[in-house]
Amino acid sequence: MNTAIASIIRDHLAERHDELIRIREHIHMHPELSFEEHATSAYIQRQLDDLGINYTAGVCDTGIVAEIGSGDTCVALRADIDALPIMEQNDHTYKSKHAGVMHACGHDVHTTCLLGAASALLQIEKDLPGRVRLIFQPGEEKLPGGASQMIAAGVLRDPVPVVIIGQHVHPELEVGKCSFRGGPSMASTDEIYITIKGVGGHGAMPHLSRDPIAAAAAVISACYQMVQRRANPVKPMVFTIGKIQSDGGATNVIPASVRMEGTFRCLDEEMRTALQTDLQNCVEHTALAHGCEAEWKLVRGYPYLHNDETWSAYAMDSAAEYLDKAHVLPLELRMTAEDFSYHSQEVPAVFYRLGVRNESKGIIYPVHHPRFDADPQALLHGSGMMAWLAYSALERVASQKHGQA
């Protein structure tokens, strides 16, 4: 471990901690929805201007790409910048000023940490054996996902990064800690929309109708059972119907149609594609067995997220050097989804979790909750980790090249 570099990063960020808090609070107070992050993008650009970092703005409209250092070896760092359509219920001074929009998934923290890492990397730029690419990405929360668009715009080219690193707040983990996992780490996500059409009528005379409610119940049961039996027990998948609506207007009315919406999540791309077809067949044939017709629509979402095993193990060891071994933990498999997965399908990737929980301050709520918050100390750890992991990754590649020389 290069203790001198680690000390420079820590000391610099300690001096800038109040400024990082101010940046995060500003972003939190001015959230913007996916692909609408114009003011957020302008604010990030002002911060980069203040740091004297050259950048390219307007990538996919609101995205920004910057680089620090030079050379053929590149490590990429990514942060997402969009917020969610949630009404904030916190009462702190930096509460959202935009009614119905909130940084409830920690993207304000992610963005601040990448700006903090940029500032720290400037302090060690002459010691970087390569370049660090900073990617401020829009639209993580909304399909088709800003990551796929940024990749199409070329953010992973010229040169191709040896690894891309991202972090995500983890309210279940105490501030000061982080967690890593190699291999499959998060699920793919597809949106399912089903309409079952029958023949409406009186609830007391169901034989004169074709009941889409009964058909919908059978469809849900059949799909749930099919996925459970088709899934490889060591490769989980989940099918969930989260919304049901009908055209009925009274307790004794059989409606003419039922609409359902759900999600399908998987950790294997081949099985994902196969089950999409199986689910459609199950829906259509089960509805037909009840004398109804089913319309199936699938909106294909993000792929599953695969963390490169070798790079994840190296990043975990590097994090233990920077934070302390006791503060670096293994990460459990999650069936939630993230569009960072697109990056992981293109180049080696490391996506880890940053602890933000502090029960003594009441910071205990999960992401996407109207009372989500993050302990300000997480800004120090998140900024430092991003800078340190980027430096360590470049050092690893440089040492490998030197060993081969």
Side-chain angles (χ1 to χ4, degrees):
M1 174 183 180
N2 191 324
T3 56
I5 295 295
S7 294
I8 291 172
I9 293 173
R10 290 195 195 94
D11 293 346
H12 173 74
L13 292 173
E15 293 175 359
R16 289 207 69 210
H17 192 201
D18 289 344
E19 176 70 6
L20 292 176
I21 293 174
R22 184 190 66 78
I23 291 171
R24 186 258 168 156
E25 291 183 352
H26 175 92
I27 297 173
H28 190 91
M29 285 190 290
H30 302 90
E32 295 174 294
L33 295 175
S34 301
F35 304 110
E36 301 175 11
E37 314 94 335
H38 299 285
T40 304
S41 181
Y43 181 77
I44 294 168
Q45 292 172 54
R46 291 197 296 273
Q47 300 305 310
L48 294 173
D49 286 336
D50 290 344
L51 293 171
I53 297 175
N54 294 325
Y55 58 85
T56 300
V59 183
C60 301
D61 195 16
T62 54
I64 303 167
V65 179
E67 286 192 353
I68 297 172
S70 61
D72 296 332
T73 305
C74 175
V75 169
L77 302 177
R78 173 268 202 176
D80 36 17
I81 67 176
D82 55 326
L84 285 161
I86 293 176
M87 180 69 73
E88 183 163 6
Q89 294 180 3
N90 290 313
D91 294 323
H92 44 51
T93 58
Y94 51 94
K95 180 179 179 179
S96 171
K97 293 181 178 293
H98 299 170
V101 185
M102 177 192 175
H103 272 293
C105 201
H107 297 189
D108 53 337
V109 175
H110 304 165
T111 300
T112 303
C113 287
L114 188 51
L115 287 168
S119 178
L121 287 166
L122 285 177
Q123 312 308 306
I124 60 170
E125 185 172 12
K126 61 180 176 57
D127 297 301
L128 292 175
R131 67 179 78 179
V132 180
R133 185 171 299 157
L134 314 173
I135 301 173
F136 296 90
Q137 176 212 301
E140 188 279 324
E141 296 287 357
K142 183 178 181 180
L143 295 178
S148 62
Q149 297 183 357
M150 295 282 277
I151 292 169
V155 299
L156 298 183
R157 298 198 297 264
D158 304 322
V160 175
V162 295
V163 63
I164 184 169
I165 301 170
Q167 68 178 0
H168 199 294
V169 295
H170 198 38
E172 293 85 358
L173 192 63
E174 294 177 20
V175 66
K177 297 181 179 180
C178 61
S179 54
F180 292 79
R181 180 185 184 86
S185 299
M186 298 181 73
S188 63
T189 176
D190 299 313
E191 295 179 356
I192 307 294
Y193 300 90
I194 301 168
T195 299
I196 297 179
K197 298 179 179 181
V199 177
H202 197 292
M205 295 176 284
H207 61 293
L208 300 179
S209 304
R210 292 293 180 266
D211 189 348
I213 295 285
V219 163
I220 293 172
S221 179
C223 288
Y224 280 15
Q225 184 178 31
M226 188 197 73
V227 168
Q228 193 272 335
R229 298 312 301 170
R230 290 278 284 115
N232 184 331
V234 298
K235 293 182 178 180
M237 60 182 68
V238 175
F239 177 74
T240 296
I241 292 295
K243 184 178 181 180
I244 304 176
Q245 292 178 310
S246 75
D247 297 326
T251 59
N252 62 349
V253 171
I254 293 174
S257 66
V258 173
R259 295 174 298 281
M260 301 187 290
E261 299 178 10
T263 183
F264 176 53
R265 295 165 184 255
C266 199
L267 288 166
D268 182 286
E269 290 298 311
E270 183 177 347
M271 186 61 71
R272 174 192 186 190
T273 299
L275 262 292
Q276 288 172 352
T277 300
D278 290 346
L279 282 168
Q280 180 177 357
N281 290 334
C282 184
V283 168
E284 293 175 348
H285 294 160
T286 302
L288 184 63
H290 285 259
C292 297
E293 176 186 353
E295 294 181 354
W296 164 276
K297 178 183 177 182
L298 181 143
V299 178
R300 192 173 177 90
Y302 309 154
Y304 87 96
L305 194 155
H306 184 93
N307 278 325
D308 184 85
E309 289 88 345
T310 300
W311 274 112
S312 293
Y314 182 79
M316 191 170 185
D317 290 340
S318 298
E321 293 176 339
Y322 185 80
L323 290 180
D324 184 273
K325 188 174 183 179
H327 291 168
V328 180
L329 306 171
L331 176 65
E332 73 280 4
L333 185 67
R334 299 173 66 90
M335 296 303 288
T336 51
E338 235 281 355
D339 82 340
F340 186 84
S341 58
Y342 284 114
H343 293 295
S344 79
Q345 300 290 323
E346 298 290 329
V347 299
V350 175
F351 193 68
Y352 68 95
R353 296 280 164 164
L354 176 71
V356 298
R357 185 182 187 87
N358 190 327
E359 294 185 15
S360 66
K361 296 181 180 179
I363 301 175
I364 58 174
Y365 296 96
V367 294
H368 292 221
H369 190 283
R371 293 189 64 185
F372 167 81
D373 201 2
D375 190 294
Q377 288 295 118
L379 302 175
L380 283 180
H381 306 307
S383 299
M385 283 282 293
M386 293 288 271
W388 173 251
L389 291 178
Y391 168 79
S392 298
L394 290 174
E395 277 289 298
R396 177 174 185 255
V397 175
S399 65
Q400 289 174 338
K401 289 182 177 179
H402 181 74
Q404 294 173 356

